[in-house]
Amino acid sequence: MVTFLPSLPGRLADVPSFARTIGGAESNVACALAAAGHTVKWVSRVGADGFGDHLVDAIAAYGVDTSGVRRDPDRPTGIYFRTATDRATAAHEVAYYRAGSAASAMAPGTLSYDDLWAGRVLHVSGITAALSDDCLALMRELTARVPGRPLLSFDVNHRPGLWRDGSGARVLLDLARGADLVFVGEDEAAEAWGLHGGDAIRAALPEPATLVVKRGSAGATVYERDAGGAGESVRGGADGGVDGGAAGSTVRGADTVTSVPALRVDVVAPVGAGDAFAAGFLSATLRGLPAAARLRHGHLTAAATLTVPGDLGTPPSRADADRLVDLDPAAWGTLRLGPGWTAATEQEVRTP
């Protein structure tokens, strides 16, 4: 969608003007991955209108291949307006104008599998499933376990307001079970499924080989199926420890469970941080990095978006990100990032 950001804090009724930018779960991930140096294709539908032109051009400017985007001559490009406040607060307002949009008309057969299966990873979001019955049918098709499918990455993205009939929680759980890699927030799992804590979420989602549970300011945990795992033991993380500022790995049954604490960040706006985290984790996954490093890359890419007002931040260079990921536990635990940090040189990023 095209996103309109407020020029001032306050109610939508009182905001005098808005700045135009872009937003959308999958396109956010695509742009962040391309900015991190990966080859990325975005597959979607937009209107044959000026907003569609802007969306395609802006996403292509990140280096994303937009040749898989179809233009709909009969339906408009979706847009939305939001306030400057945190999504979790009662003061936050979002006005969506995407009913009958080009994206909501996506359905089985409307997108090319030559595009969808061209990469090593296919990333999708639960938001798309909520847009229409046709979109849900498409998502059910994409999350079906069939031979030859690339690694299927699914971000739950539970938005209760999009599911008018209240079916969202059940539908999203079903879709997640068909994925290979699932991202879900601890808070949204509690709201949608009544599940509290990573172990309870994993018990309800045993099918994906990898489950990433985002725990907000506490950090994130990844559950990975380990065919040789049995019982429970503690392993040192990639940075040598198991608590405090360190990454800790525990073998639980068939899973290796790794947790990494979040960074301290001076937050400008939280919107888009989940998409950025997914992009950072996927980038490190594509590079074959270990679990603790994947989580740290997720935290760093999220911090790049948390410190800007829009849905997309400029991620750190790969060299800078790798340097920060390699910090020892004490340095990682005391690192603090604020606006403009990704433009800093190695000497300017404050690390002990």
Side-chain angles (χ1 to χ4, degrees), residues 117-312:
W117 284 23
R120 293 166 57 194
V121 175
L122 172 60
H123 180 75
V124 296
S125 162
I127 293 175
T128 299
L131 298 182
S132 67
D133 290 343
D134 283 341
C135 282
L136 177 54
L138 173 65
M139 289 294 291
R140 290 194 189 281
E141 184 176 275
L142 295 179
T143 55
R145 295 186 182 276
V146 295
R149 185 185 77 174
L151 186 147
L152 197 290
S153 169
F154 178 71
D155 195 336
V156 171
N157 271 328
H158 180 234
R159 301 288 185 267
L162 296 178
W163 298 91
R164 301 298 183 184
D165 60 0
S167 66
R170 173 184 54 79
V171 169
L172 293 175
L173 189 61
D174 287 344
L175 294 174
R177 286 173 172 151
D180 302 305
L181 165 59
V182 171
F183 297 94
V184 63
E186 201 170 43
D187 54 348
E188 67 180 336
E191 178 184 37
W193 304 323
L195 300 173
H196 300 279
D199 289 353
I201 299 169
R202 183 51 158 170
L205 274 173
E207 297 88 353
T210 305
L211 170 68
V212 180
V213 179
K214 298 172 290 182
R215 299 181 290 120
S217 60
T221 300
V222 58
Y223 293 74
E224 291 195 289
R225 187 173 302 128
D226 181 357
E232 180 167 331
S233 62
V234 176
R235 299 173 177 170
D239 40 19
V242 295
D243 49 30
S249 294
T250 304
V251 177
R252 299 178 194 167
D255 279 330
T256 298
V257 184
T258 304
S259 294
V260 168
L263 293 160
R264 293 187 296 169
V265 179
D266 297 328
V267 177
V268 174
V271 179
D275 303 327
F277 181 94
F281 188 93
L282 287 171
S283 174
T285 298
L286 288 165
R287 295 172 61 198
L289 300 185
R294 282 177 271 152
L295 290 171
R296 281 193 171 190
H297 274 283
H299 287 316
L300 286 167
T301 311
T305 291
L306 287 167
T307 49
V308 299
D311 288 22
L312 280 165

Side-chain angles (χ1 to χ4, degrees), residues 3-8 15 17-21 80-83 309-311:
T3 306
F4 288 91
L5 303 179
S7 58
L8 296 172
V15 175
S17 60
F18 296 82
R20 184 186 64 178
T21 181
Y80 84 101
F81 298 78
R82 66 172 174 86
T83 54
D311 288 22

